[in-house]
Amino acid sequence: MAASTIPLLYSASHTLHAPLTEFEQGKIIGYRETPERVEGIYQRLVSRGIGRATPAAGSAGIDDLCVIHSLKMLDYMEAVSYSIRGEQDYLYADFFPIRGGAPTLPKSLAGRLGAYCTDPYSPIGQGTWKASLAAAGLALQAANMILRRETTCAYALCRPPGHHAGPDFFGSYCYINHAALAARRLMALGRVAVLDIDYHHGNGTQAIFWDEPRVLYASLHIDPNLDFPYFSGYRHETGGSQAPGSTLNLPLPPGTTSAHYLQALDSLLQTIRAFQPAALVVSLGFDPYQDDPLSSFRVEAGAYSAIGARIAFLNIPTVFVQEGGYAVEALPVLAENFLTGFLGSQEGL
């Protein structure tokens, strides 16, 4: 599986989604999930000769998305996006019905938003739907490249990210679950493992594969007692009745160091090896980094080389899907370190 570069899948359509503000604990702040996140990574990896720029094959379609998401939710997001008139106008959820039963959906699009959206961090604008479809297309393209044996690894620079989007809900910057789409497509090869190393638990991915024994979801993340998504990501969550043991959560405390993070990662990788997947999808979030504005971990930039190297030692076809990471200036270096570690270790396999 030796490789010196990695196919880098990118679409300029991600810039169509660019909210200006978000609401955080009583304050209006600049929206953290910015286009600059992906632009910086893309430019750095291409200029360094690590990423091989690969043209986007095209956006995903509704039929592609229905394998993991509710058609009603998808239709709703599309309708809201196309209803927005101004390029800088975004519709934010401001009311959330108590879950436990199917809420009556009002005629107002704004009123319906809280029925599907989990929080106020995922506004919908004129370009949100197109950007999301383009990002989903990148994840599917990466999986298809693996299926066609064109490569043994690929990096989909998906934006908006996706691991907080579930079967019938979206939120926390996420609209479509790109990692789950890639994993679902790769199930054509056999069993698939999804390794989530974002700072926050991927509640959407867990929900999608909760009762799927052919997919192992393994996640390292901040203790959900202390940070969102709060209601998902605990150790006792190990899979549904149809797939016991198919979910593995390792919540970590604030102050987690590079050494402790790598130790926890080794534990997850051991479980993944035992699962013997035919392919791996990595939800690649760089927000565990010590200087990320959302992180309480102390994972250093240099640790990402070791993280990449450890994942490479699994020696199985791998798709990387971009998730979080909000230290914008540091992201290009973190991505470079990660892929240098991954590709360098592959050369010895």
Side-chain angles (χ1 to χ4, degrees):
M1 292 179 63
S4 58
T5 63
I6 187 169
L8 192 60
L9 281 61
Y10 165 89
S11 171
S13 293
H14 81 90
T15 60
L16 297 173
H17 176 73
L20 297 178
T21 60
E22 63 181 80
F23 187 73
E24 180 181 67
Q25 297 301 313
K27 297 179 180 180
I28 301 296
I29 64 172
Y31 201 71
R32 288 196 172 104
E33 203 286 288
T34 64
E36 289 75 20
R37 298 174 58 247
V38 160
E39 291 296 317
I41 293 174
Y42 179 74
Q43 293 169 13
R44 176 84 171 210
L45 296 182
V46 171
S47 66
R48 295 281 180 150
I50 297 171
R52 188 166 68 254
T54 304
S59 297
I62 287 285
D63 289 344
D64 295 316
L65 308 184
C66 282
V67 298
I68 62 168
H69 290 304
S70 156
L71 178 59
K72 287 184 178 180
M73 183 185 76
L74 297 171
D75 284 344
Y76 168 76
M77 286 195 291
E78 180 181 26
V80 171
S81 195
Y82 287 148
S83 75
I84 303 297
R85 299 302 180 189
E87 290 185 4
Q88 294 187 349
D89 293 338
Y90 285 83
L91 190 65
Y92 289 74
D94 60 4
F95 192 86
F96 306 93
I98 299 297
R99 291 181 180 256
T104 299
L105 295 180
K107 293 181 179 180
S108 164
L109 290 177
R112 292 187 182 192
L113 191 53
Y116 298 111
C117 192
T118 60
D119 52 60
Y121 301 110
S122 298
I124 296 179
Q126 187 182 89
T128 300
W129 181 246
K130 291 181 179 178
S132 297
L133 292 181
L138 298 179
L140 290 173
Q141 181 180 352
N144 288 337
M145 292 177 71
I146 298 291
L147 292 177
R148 293 194 295 262
R149 301 181 185 276
E150 296 173 3
T151 184
T152 57
C153 58
Y155 188 174
L157 279 173
C158 298
R159 184 186 168 271
H163 73 151
H164 295 304
D168 60 353
F169 61 85
F170 65 95
S172 303
Y173 304 148
C174 302
Y175 303 86
I176 294 170
N177 196 312
H178 315 301
L181 279 176
R184 185 67 181 82
R185 183 65 57 90
L186 288 169
M187 287 171 64
L189 294 175
R191 295 197 287 187
V192 177
V194 178
L195 172 63
D196 195 331
I197 58 173
D198 191 274
Y199 177 74
H200 303 99
H201 177 250
N203 55 317
T205 310
Q206 175 172 295
I208 288 170
F209 294 123
W210 184 248
D211 270 311
E212 177 49 77
R214 295 170 294 175
V215 175
L216 172 68
Y217 176 67
S219 178
L220 283 182
H221 50 270
I222 183 64
D223 184 350
N225 278 297
L226 306 174
D227 209 335
F228 71 87
Y230 297 114
F231 303 101
S232 181
Y234 295 89
R235 283 180 179 269
H236 68 263
E237 299 166 6
T238 58
S241 61
Q242 303 302 310
S246 66
T247 294
L248 176 59
N249 289 311
L250 281 186
L252 301 174
T256 292
T257 64
S258 297
H260 291 149
Y261 191 89
L262 290 171
Q263 184 179 21
L265 176 64
D266 286 339
S267 176
L268 287 189
L269 295 178
Q270 183 177 0
T271 300
I272 290 173
R273 288 189 187 92
F275 186 68
Q276 297 183 328
L280 173 71
V281 176
V282 178
S283 273
L284 185 53
F286 292 118
D287 39 0
Y289 173 55
Q290 62 184 358
D291 291 331
D292 192 281
L294 297 183
S295 178
S296 66
F297 291 170
R298 292 191 284 128
V299 177
E300 300 161 303
Y304 277 92
S305 296
I307 293 170
R310 280 164 159 78
I311 293 172
F313 284 133
L314 290 174
N315 196 27
I316 54 179
T318 302
V319 169
F320 299 108
V321 175
Q322 187 61 52
E323 300 288 2
Y326 308 99
V328 176
E329 293 184 0
L331 289 179
V333 173
L334 300 179
E336 179 180 0
N337 289 351
F338 178 85
L339 289 179
T340 298
F342 180 83
L343 296 172
S345 295
Q346 275 201 326
E347 292 177 357
L349 296 176

